[in-house]
Amino acid sequence: MSSLRTHSPVVVLGAGLTGMSAGLALSRQGVAHRVLEKLDHPGGHAITVEDSGFRFDRTGHLLHLRDPEMRQLVLGWLDDVVEVERRSVIWSNGVYTRYPFQANTFGLPADVAYECVMGFVQAHFHPPSTPPQNFEEFCLAHFGEGISRHFMIPYNSRLWGVHPKEITSDWCQRFVPLPKLEDVLAGAVGKNARELGYNTRFTYPRLGIGELPKAMAREHGKIELSKSPRAIDLKQRVLDLGDEQISFDVLISSAPLDVLMGLIQDVPANVRSAAAKLRCTHLYYLDVALSTPCGKDVHWIYVPEERYPFYRVGCYSHFSPDMAPRGKAGLYVELTSRDEPDLTTLVPSVARALVEMGVISRPEDVEFARLRRIDHAYVIFDHAYFASTKTVFDYLDQIGVISSGRYGGWNYSSMEDALLFGRDAAHRAVELLK
């Protein structure tokens, strides 16, 4: 046991966007607290890495600021941002079509477009008699056979790392655009001018998304780096950091939920069992430096076909030109396989695919590629998800622990959501202190 004993009314675990947002909200309310981060830098996944004159985020991290209060706060923290209108496309069947696929079949081979539109019309006028039980059934019910087979099912299999049959249909109401019949018909003949989806416009720091956590950390002023508990005793309400014991009244955790549950001592057997059912997939991706500009004037490209080793390609330097040296470009390439790749075979394969897609003119345009891994990438909304998370969160609520954020809350959400989660967690902490 350490000889150093301290107390803090509120302790926040994690200095990602949720943790720092919670800390800043507590500061605005005058509540004494500490924010602990296990890494030597703040930001979590929202960081920017500098490499040979290029700037790389951890794939696409964009701010869709809809909440007026949060927008005002973010723009107060950042003094150099760009406002961007989304340009995203799908590459399939050897052609580019507008996003989302389900409302923009114009340009596809005629037989593919016909199959997609006819399938949508049939699904529209003959909906299933029972509600969909999984994501595959959701796609078939809302989009029909053609759109499901050519895009929704293969793309989401590659994104999530599991087949849509394993995923509940309840997760996707916000993030999967559901076009109207008139959208699909207009999109089939190239007359769909309406942009669909939640991410049609975004805000982006000129020097990369990592500027946001840097600004938040400066605003807070007291983020404690390279500090994390090795155990949490909730009976005594003590964090054991090894060299320090911190007692607390309220704990806010933005650490991944499975990590938090692994730190808590004496968890009831039923809760431990539920926590063991939490599923999350990791992700490998490449940061790719190009010696030339990107050949496609888009922000990102969806790639549903299995013959490609990646499911999405994005261009950092189209978010902001300052993300790459003049005349060059920086990409992120999200890989389908969850196995660690062999770069000697992967990079040439990726380069050939980028040539085929018109992103680069020749393989030699790839200046270098760096392999990255995200351990917690996508929470899997499988059929045990809702029962398992309810058991875990009911337990945490009973013992006065607030677990929040994309991974602390074990959900699929945006960057603005992460900031709002932190703000709301701080408000809950204040209520618990009363």
Side-chain angles (χ1 to χ4, degrees):
M1 297 290 287
S2 170
S3 59
L4 179 59
R5 307 288 183 91
T6 60
H7 174 77
S8 178
V10 182
V11 176
V12 180
L13 295 182
L17 298 187
T18 295
M20 285 196 290
S21 178
L24 287 166
L26 291 168
S27 294
R28 291 194 296 272
Q29 297 178 76
V31 178
H33 65 281
R34 294 173 66 176
V35 179
L36 311 180
E37 168 55 52
K38 71 175 182 178
L39 300 178
D40 62 0
H41 60 268
H45 289 173
I47 60 172
T48 302
V49 176
E50 298 183 51
D51 189 338
S52 305
F54 293 82
R55 303 176 70 86
F56 301 110
D57 298 340
R58 302 211 76 186
T59 73
H61 277 75
L62 312 170
L63 288 161
H64 311 290
L65 299 171
R66 295 179 181 81
D67 182 87
E69 178 187 4
M70 188 54 66
R71 182 175 184 84
Q72 182 178 10
L73 284 170
V74 169
L75 296 183
W77 298 328
L78 295 169
D79 57 6
D80 195 1
V81 301
V82 291
E83 299 289 343
V84 184
E85 297 288 343
R86 181 193 70 198
R87 301 190 303 277
S88 58
V89 294
I90 296 98
W91 169 259
S92 70
N93 297 280
V95 297
Y96 281 105
T97 53
R98 286 177 57 196
Y99 173 86
F101 183 95
Q102 55 267 36
N104 293 287
T105 55
F106 181 75
L108 289 169
D111 56 342
V112 175
Y114 176 82
E115 182 183 353
C116 290
V117 175
M118 181 58 71
F120 184 91
V121 170
Q122 291 172 340
H124 178 81
F125 287 106
H126 302 284
S129 57
T130 57
Q133 298 302 305
N134 59 55
F135 188 38
E136 180 184 55
E137 292 180 3
F138 175 94
C139 293
L140 291 168
H142 288 280
F143 307 119
E145 176 68 30
I147 291 171
S148 296
R149 184 167 68 84
H150 286 285
F151 183 80
M152 296 301 300
I153 292 173
Y155 179 78
N156 281 284
S157 296
R158 290 152 66 78
L159 170 74
W160 296 99
V162 300
H163 194 277
K165 287 180 180 178
E166 295 186 44
I167 300 174
T168 177
S169 63
D170 295 331
W171 74 271
C172 54
Q173 300 301 318
R174 173 182 171 192
F175 293 99
V176 178
L178 296 178
K180 299 177 181 179
L181 177 60
E182 52 265 38
D183 291 322
V184 173
L185 296 179
V189 295
K191 288 181 64 65
N192 194 358
R194 189 163 70 95
E195 291 291 338
L196 301 176
Y198 76 98
N199 57 358
T200 58
R201 183 178 178 85
F202 58 89
T203 301
Y204 189 75
R206 185 176 61 83
L207 295 178
I209 204 62
E211 296 302 296
L212 175 58
K214 287 180 183 178
M216 294 174 72
R218 287 193 299 269
E219 181 78 12
H220 187 276
K222 296 181 180 179
I223 305 296
E224 300 179 55
L225 302 176
S226 302
K227 281 196 172 185
S228 64
R230 60 186 186 184
I232 302 173
D233 183 343
L234 291 178
K235 291 182 180 179
Q236 301 296 320
R237 305 193 79 71
V238 169
L239 300 174
D240 179 7
L241 275 65
D243 60 347
E244 182 182 4
Q245 303 277 318
I246 307 175
S247 66
F248 60 87
D249 300 311
V250 178
L251 178 66
I252 298 175
S253 174
S254 64
L257 186 58
D258 56 345
V259 173
L260 172 66
M261 297 306 295
L263 292 172
I264 298 174
Q265 300 175 340
D266 301 322
V267 175
N270 69 311
V271 179
R272 184 72 70 193
S273 176
K277 296 177 182 177
L278 301 174
R279 294 175 65 192
C280 185
T281 186
H282 63 274
L283 171 68
Y284 287 103
Y285 70 96
L286 297 176
D287 280 332
V288 177
L290 302 182
S291 58
T292 63
C294 179
K296 291 296 175 182
D297 186 22
V298 296
H299 296 116
W300 60 87
I301 304 166
Y302 299 94
V303 184
E305 294 176 344
E306 292 184 7
R307 62 195 182 96
Y308 298 100
F310 47 82
Y311 62 86
R312 184 163 51 200
V313 177
C315 185
Y316 296 119
S317 44
H318 285 169
F319 301 157
S320 166
D322 292 283
M323 295 295 285
R326 185 180 297 274
K328 300 184 178 184
L331 310 178
Y332 59 91
V333 177
E334 295 173 275
L335 303 175
T336 301
S337 175
R338 266 56 183 183
D339 297 328
E340 184 171 0
D342 177 0
L343 290 185
T344 60
T345 57
L346 174 66
V347 173
S349 175
V350 168
R352 288 192 297 270
L354 294 178
V355 170
E356 182 184 343
M357 295 165 62
V359 175
I360 56 178
S361 298
R362 53 183 189 148
E364 292 77 18
D365 292 342
V366 174
E367 190 168 310
F368 63 82
R370 310 291 192 223
L371 179 65
R372 318 287 193 197
R373 173 178 166 133
I374 299 175
D375 289 332
H376 289 81
Y378 295 103
V379 168
I380 297 175
F381 291 77
D382 63 11
H383 298 286
Y385 172 87
F386 288 102
S388 299
T389 52
K390 183 179 187 307
T391 297
V392 172
F393 284 118
D394 283 351
Y395 165 71
L396 294 175
D397 287 343
Q398 290 168 8
I399 57 178
V401 173
I402 303 168
S403 186
S404 186
R406 174 162 171 157
Y407 303 104
W410 211 247
N411 57 59
Y412 183 78
S413 49
S414 69
M415 290 184 65
E416 183 186 45
D417 290 330
L419 297 168
L420 295 171
F421 290 148
R423 183 190 69 184
D424 294 344
H427 293 333
R428 288 177 58 195
V430 171
E431 291 299 314
L432 290 174
L433 288 173
K434 291 180 180 178

